[in-house]
Amino acid sequence: MSKDWYPVINYIECTECGTCIDMCRHGVYDKSKAPSPLVIFPEGCIKGCKGCGNLCPSNAIKYLGDIENNCNCNCKSCCE
Ligand code: SF4
Ligand code: SF4
């Protein structure tokens, strides 16, 4: 994952509704794994876009690059 902005899924919160996968037109998610969100092409994500995260009913999507300390662990104690 070379880009500095792409979605990071909190799989504990995710209910696998598939909304994020349907929303993205940039090939970021693996559609063959729908409705489970799997990021396979982070380079396709548009910097600053929060389209999928804004539609997530579980608020389970954050963005690398939007997390102040760039921590990617999804642990609630340090990232929220
Ligand atoms: S933030 Fe935008 S471009 Fe990136 S995965 Fe979500 S919908 Fe696609
Ligand atoms: S929109 Fe949110 S709850 Fe639905 S599959 Fe994506 S991450 Fe999971």
Side-chain angles (χ1 to χ4, degrees), residues 4 17 21-22 29 32 34 36 43 58 60 66-67 70 73 76:
D4 57 0
C17 69
I21 304 165
D22 291 340
Y29 294 99
S32 73
S36 183
E43 293 86 352
S58 306
D66 198 30
I67 298 171
N70 276 336
C73 70
K76 289 196 174 184

Side-chain angles (χ1 to χ4, degrees), residues 24-71:
C24 184
R25 298 176 187 170
H26 300 279
V28 175
Y29 294 99
D30 184 351
K31 288 191 183 292
S32 73
K33 295 286 192 296
S36 183
L38 179 65
V39 174
I40 53 165
F41 184 49
E43 293 86 352
C45 187
I46 308 301
K47 188 162 187 171
C49 179
K50 292 186 177 180
C52 52
N54 286 341
L55 288 182
C56 175
S58 306
N59 197 24
I61 302 177
K62 296 198 179 311
Y63 297 91
L64 188 122
D66 198 30
I67 298 171
E68 252 180 39
N69 61 5
N70 276 336
C71 173

